[in-house]
Amino acid sequence: SKYQNNVITAKAKTNESTAQDTIISAEGIFLQYARSGTPITDKVTDHDYQIMYGQFLIPFYERKPQMKMLEIGLGCDMKYGPGASVTLWKKLFPLANLWEAEFDGACVERSKQQGQLDGLNVLVGDQMDIGTLDKWINQTGRANFDVVIDDGGHHQCQIWTTFRKLWPLLLPGGLYFIEDLQVSRHKGYSGRKSSPLCE
């Protein structure tokens, strides 16, 4: 497999083949790919998301390389600019059916013009708007995602509304990740937004 040599190398030091070795090496692979990008995604600088993605997402891709994956949040408000995680996903999962959703339509257009979104399917709109989510579902062929990563607006009602709409459409055995949950508890993120599914 694509990552097999890295895994075998990590195990060779102990000459053992344990599940824990595989998990550690998968985390290392994710970290290696993430750090090779420019800019480097905050998934591995401000956070240690290589742990959950190494343990769960890389093995999932090994089993289903043509997985259908949606990430919400292009990173248009990041100080280093948009698209860091997109670069990572394209390198790490070259056979996957990748989708990216973003609120800032102007940022999406600039990213398209710069070639950052080549090879990806792109959705635009507010993840807390029921109509927008329904539109996304229709545009993606009734969703049917194997993997959803919510790295969007981080408001509690944004997270909950999106989950209520997309979780039922996740394929059996799929993965649903929510990043930056701690942010939703900060002042200004907990109660200022609402939707018919979250008041």
Side-chain angles (χ1 to χ4, degrees):
S1 69
K2 180 176 179 182
Y3 312 113
Q4 188 174 12
N5 290 338
N6 302 70
V7 173
I8 290 173
T9 300
K11 290 177 180 176
K13 294 179 181 179
T14 59
N15 198 29
E16 296 178 355
S17 179
T18 66
Q20 185 64 29
D21 290 330
T22 302
I23 289 172
I24 292 171
S25 59
E27 292 172 12
I29 291 165
F30 187 92
L31 193 59
Q32 176 186 346
Y33 274 76
R35 286 179 173 169
S36 70
T38 303
I40 300 175
T41 172
D42 74 332
K43 295 183 192 307
V44 298
T45 55
D46 297 344
H47 310 286
D48 294 313
Y49 293 153
Q50 71 272 13
I51 298 172
M52 66 178 180
Y53 291 132
Q55 288 187 28
F56 299 104
L57 189 52
I58 285 181
F60 190 95
Y61 178 75
E62 290 279 85
R63 296 191 301 271
K64 190 174 184 180
Q66 294 180 325
M67 65 184 187
K68 185 177 181 182
M69 185 176 99
L70 167 67
E71 180 183 43
I72 301 169
L74 180 61
C76 292
D77 60 347
M78 299 300 292
K79 59 185 177 182
Y80 52 70
S85 60
V86 164
T87 301
L88 172 61
W89 303 139
K90 289 197 288 187
K91 289 193 299 184
L92 198 56
F93 308 132
L95 300 179
N97 180 6
L98 299 174
W99 292 75
E100 191 74 21
E102 169 56 41
F103 174 79
D104 187 340
C107 175
V108 168
E109 288 306 314
R110 288 192 299 271
S111 298
K112 284 182 177 179
Q113 291 170 8
Q114 294 169 7
Q116 290 177 297
L117 302 177
D118 290 352
L120 273 79
N121 304 284
V122 183
L123 305 167
V124 178
D126 183 355
Q127 71 177 107
M128 199 171 65
D129 178 71
I130 303 298
T132 294
L133 291 170
D134 286 336
K135 183 179 178 181
W136 289 359
I137 289 167
N138 290 330
Q139 287 177 319
T140 58
R142 299 300 301 167
N144 294 321
F145 290 106
D146 295 292
V147 179
V148 173
I149 298 172
D150 186 347
D151 188 20
H154 305 319
H155 286 265
Q156 290 180 2
C157 277
Q158 289 177 316
I159 294 167
W160 182 240
T161 300
T162 304
F163 181 82
R164 289 278 303 274
K165 292 294 289 185
L166 296 184
W167 173 257
L169 302 176
L170 193 71
L171 291 179
L175 301 172
Y176 197 110
F177 298 95
I178 303 174
E179 295 189 8
D180 302 306
L181 277 172
Q182 79 286 352
V183 174
S184 68
R185 297 193 296 270
H186 293 177
K187 184 178 180 180
Y189 279 85
S190 58
R192 296 176 60 189
K193 293 179 179 287
S194 64
S195 80
L197 296 179
C198 178
E199 298 180 0

